[in-house]
Amino acid sequence: MTSALEKGTDSGSFGRRSDEKIGEAAQGREFVPADNIHDPDAGLSEEERAAVDRKLLRRLDWKLIPWLSFLYLISFLDRTNIGNAKIDGLQEDLGMTNGQYNATLTIFFISYSLFEPLTNILLKKLRPSVFIPIIMVWWGICMTTMGLVHNFSGLMAAGPDQKQRWWLGVAEAGLFPGVNYYLSCWYRRSEFGIRAAIFFSAAALAGSFGGLLAAAIAQMDGIGGKPGWAWIFILEGLATVLVGLVSYWMVHDFPDEAKFLSVDDRARVIRRLREDKQSSAEHESFKMSYFWASVKDWKTWAFAVIYMGCDGSLYAFSLFLPTIINQLGYKSTTANLLSVPPYAAAAIVTVLIGFIADRTRQRGLCNILICIPGIVGFAMLLGSSRPGVQYAGTFLGAIGIYPCIANTISWASNNVEGVYKRGVTLGFVIGWGNLNGVVASNIYRQDDKPRFLPGHGTVLAYLVLWLLGGSIVTRVLLARENKKRTMGERDHWAEGKSEHEVEMLGDRRPDFIYTL
């Protein structure tokens, strides 16, 4: 069957450019748009092209993934270290009530969530090598000054009219959605999941590393007249500022501008994305129509619901795990150290699920299956008072939550096409998920210790209703739409359109098949 896409477009012009532009590109004066891009591997055999492709992928991985993962480790460490500071005496030293402590957590998530939908637009306009260092230095300063406060008002406000935790949220809002969007502009859909999983596994490592680091830094108690928890903020904040400055040279721009690639390698990156029916690496002017296309797309809200289920659970877990373990009878340093193994297990499983989901392209099934241990884990926390059972529950909880974060972002990214539409969609999905940090910040109340039944029950509901239920419904709807496209029921969307107009349909192209 010949689809309307095949009848209504002229593929003969794809890949051609003039000899004049070839010469300019070869001299590095101009990078030719993908519509006129050459194939630097024309004439090579399939085996030779595959070898060139593997070499290019290895180079991209080494240039992009390690540093970006390191940045997210720092980001997650900085937003959750208040949990470690709490069990080292933060709340008592500042004379904070339980409600005031929860307010310091809540205000971060409000600003963090509100600004996330906008950050990918800024990332695209300012360039990653400029945008990411700016926000890192900003939040590093906020973090450092948190170690200089003497009361609740100081923790909330850096100045008479500025809310410190609020600005920490604003500054950090650009990193996670920005990097996921950025990576989706480099890799094919079947390659993105494992990279996103490695990147996000830094969050689990941050939880693991954070416990060790907090236990070590807390030993500085009394140095300079400051308590141990203050040094946690000061040292980690100063480290963030330093890393942010270095990031100007370590973070690379989008494929069409990346200086570490030759002109031919840039052509290869964009060509392989085009073959995957993506155009996200190329220049495109922002139009409000892209914003509204995301808002009106049912997939935006379906993935937002799923992400709400895993992200709300994630923040409840990461912010209060030291407190949960502390209530099992362990002292602060021991509690911080015992929080390390669950995070380490989560990091391993996160990368494993990313690999499996890429190979099988069954991201929905991966979500459905891996969230089950998380549900069992929180059922154990809810149903048993035995320390051994509860500690085992934290392992299952971590294993069931962390892999779903990266997998859901990959799933959403795989199914949204267009430079700005994908960026806006990821901003909405991640922003809505993080807004549930407001809930997570207030469900583990000191009044409910040592069992924290309302907290565990809320997380269990999030996992069952939104993560599991949302993943099942979304996968069914995507499979139904794929069937219609395969049967040719969507071919009329492309009738009478030029190749460029069909490309602008993005994920509404009749030949764009959704990842299940």
Side-chain angles (χ1 to χ4, degrees):
M1 180 181 66
T2 302
S3 70
L5 179 66
E6 293 168 330
K7 292 183 290 186
T9 61
D10 175 16
S11 61
S13 63
F14 181 79
R16 293 203 302 263
R17 63 181 184 171
S18 68
D19 291 338
E20 180 182 357
K21 287 191 173 182
I22 293 175
E24 291 175 350
Q27 296 174 42
R29 292 197 299 268
E30 176 186 340
F31 182 64
V32 180
D35 285 343
N36 300 309
I37 202 166
H38 75 302
D39 184 355
D41 303 318
L44 296 182
S45 67
E46 288 300 317
E47 292 78 10
E48 290 171 328
R49 292 175 72 95
V52 171
D53 209 41
R54 287 194 296 271
K55 183 178 179 181
L56 176 62
L57 267 180
R58 285 196 298 270
R59 188 176 185 197
L60 295 182
D61 287 343
W62 282 110
K63 281 287 185 180
L64 304 178
I65 305 300
W67 189 259
L68 293 174
S69 299
F70 177 55
L71 298 188
Y72 191 57
L73 184 150
I74 290 175
S75 168
F76 207 81
L77 194 67
D78 286 349
R79 84 183 62 164
T80 58
N81 59 11
I82 192 170
N84 300 110
K86 178 189 177 186
I87 64 171
D88 277 312
L90 165 73
Q91 187 170 344
E92 293 78 8
D93 288 353
L94 298 186
M96 295 165 59
T97 65
N98 296 332
Q100 287 175 328
Y101 173 76
N102 286 345
T104 64
L105 305 182
T106 301
I107 196 171
F108 168 87
F109 288 107
I110 293 175
S111 60
Y112 188 68
S113 305
L114 290 177
F115 284 90
E116 277 183 317
L118 306 175
T119 55
N120 284 347
I121 298 173
L122 292 173
L123 176 73
K124 186 71 177 176
K125 286 184 174 292
L126 293 178
R127 306 197 333 262
S129 62
V130 174
F131 178 73
I132 290 178
I134 287 175
I135 62 173
M136 288 198 69
V137 171
W138 185 0
W139 94 59
I141 292 172
C142 290
M143 177 59 55
T144 302
T145 54
M146 283 173 58
L148 306 177
V149 302
H150 302 286
N151 51 42
F152 167 69
S153 299
L155 187 63
M156 292 284 276
D161 301 308
Q162 294 179 312
K163 297 185 183 301
Q164 194 164 9
R165 290 282 296 180
W166 167 274
W167 289 115
L168 180 66
V170 172
E172 285 206 36
L175 189 70
F176 185 67
V179 171
N180 277 285
Y181 166 58
Y182 170 77
L183 290 177
S184 74
C185 296
W186 283 91
Y187 295 99
R188 290 174 174 170
R189 291 189 288 169
S190 60
E191 301 163 347
F192 177 56
I194 183 64
R195 276 84 184 177
I198 292 171
F199 168 66
F200 181 72
S201 67
L205 291 176
S208 179
F209 178 68
L212 293 171
L213 187 61
I217 295 177
Q219 304 308 310
M220 295 178 64
D221 185 48
I223 295 178
K226 297 194 173 298
W229 61 261
W231 283 112
I232 293 175
F233 292 139
I234 293 170
L235 294 184
E236 292 180 9
L238 291 174
T240 299
V241 172
L242 179 61
V243 171
L245 294 173
V246 175
S247 292
Y248 178 77
W249 293 275
M250 296 298 293
V251 174
H252 303 283
D253 292 324
F254 290 101
D256 56 351
E257 296 178 330
K259 296 179 181 178
F260 74 93
L261 292 178
S262 66
V263 172
D264 280 350
D265 276 345
R266 296 181 201 176
R268 289 185 179 101
V269 172
I270 293 179
R271 177 168 289 278
R272 65 200 307 276
L273 291 176
R274 289 291 297 273
E275 291 170 353
D276 196 40
K277 297 181 176 60
Q278 296 188 61
S279 58
S280 298
E282 302 168 49
H283 281 295
E284 185 176 311
S285 299
F286 176 73
K287 300 175 184 176
M288 281 304 295
S289 59
Y290 301 137
F291 175 86
W292 293 116
S294 174
V295 172
K296 294 176 182 178
D297 191 340
W298 68 270
K299 300 192 304 296
T300 299
W301 308 111
F303 287 119
V305 167
I306 298 170
Y307 196 71
M308 164 187 175
C310 48
D311 210 35
S313 304
L314 168 78
Y315 282 117
F317 184 88
S318 59
L319 286 170
F320 291 98
L321 179 61
T323 300
I324 293 169
I325 296 176
N326 183 235
Q327 292 304 314
L328 298 181
Y330 301 102
K331 295 185 177 180
S332 62
T333 299
T334 305
N336 276 333
L337 293 174
L338 285 175
S339 69
V340 172
Y343 284 121
I348 294 170
V349 177
T350 295
V351 175
L352 178 63
I353 292 299
F355 176 79
I356 293 172
D358 273 357
R359 287 298 183 93
T360 63
R361 303 202 71 176
Q362 293 290 335
R363 302 199 187 282
L365 283 181
C366 286
N367 255 15
I368 291 166
L369 294 175
I370 199 61
C371 76
I372 292 175
I375 291 171
V376 172
F378 274 88
M380 292 167 64
L381 286 167
L382 195 62
S384 176
S385 60
R386 295 173 58 187
V389 174
Q390 289 200 310
Y391 189 55
T394 65
F395 271 87
L396 293 176
I399 290 171
I401 293 171
Y402 277 81
C404 291
I405 297 286
N407 189 55
T408 299
I409 293 302
S410 300
W411 195 14
S413 178
N414 283 177
N415 291 317
V416 180
E417 183 46 43
V419 175
Y420 281 106
K421 183 185 177 185
R422 181 185 298 170
V424 172
T425 296
L426 289 179
F428 271 121
V429 170
I430 296 171
W432 175 250
N434 284 325
L435 190 58
N436 286 271
V438 174
V439 177
S441 302
N442 292 281
I443 57 177
Y444 283 94
R445 304 173 303 178
Q446 288 295 104
D447 294 342
D448 300 321
K449 65 180 184 182
R451 293 292 306 282
F452 297 107
L453 297 182
H456 297 330
T458 302
V459 173
L460 185 61
Y462 264 65
L463 292 173
V464 173
L465 295 176
W466 310 130
L467 178 52
L468 178 60
S471 296
I472 292 172
V473 171
T474 301
R475 190 183 186 281
V476 169
L477 293 177
L478 290 174
R480 184 179 299 174
E481 179 60 26
N482 278 351
K483 184 176 181 181
K484 291 180 180 180
R485 296 185 179 197
T486 303
M487 298 297 292
E489 296 180 27
R490 302 304 193 200
D491 284 1
H492 63 278
W493 289 350
E495 288 178 353
K497 290 182 169 60
S498 67
E499 181 181 355
H500 178 72
E501 289 172 331
V502 171
E503 183 180 321
M504 289 300 98
L505 290 174
D507 52 80
R508 286 177 57 82
R509 289 178 58 161
D511 63 343
F512 187 98
I513 301 301
Y514 290 126
T515 299
L516 300 181

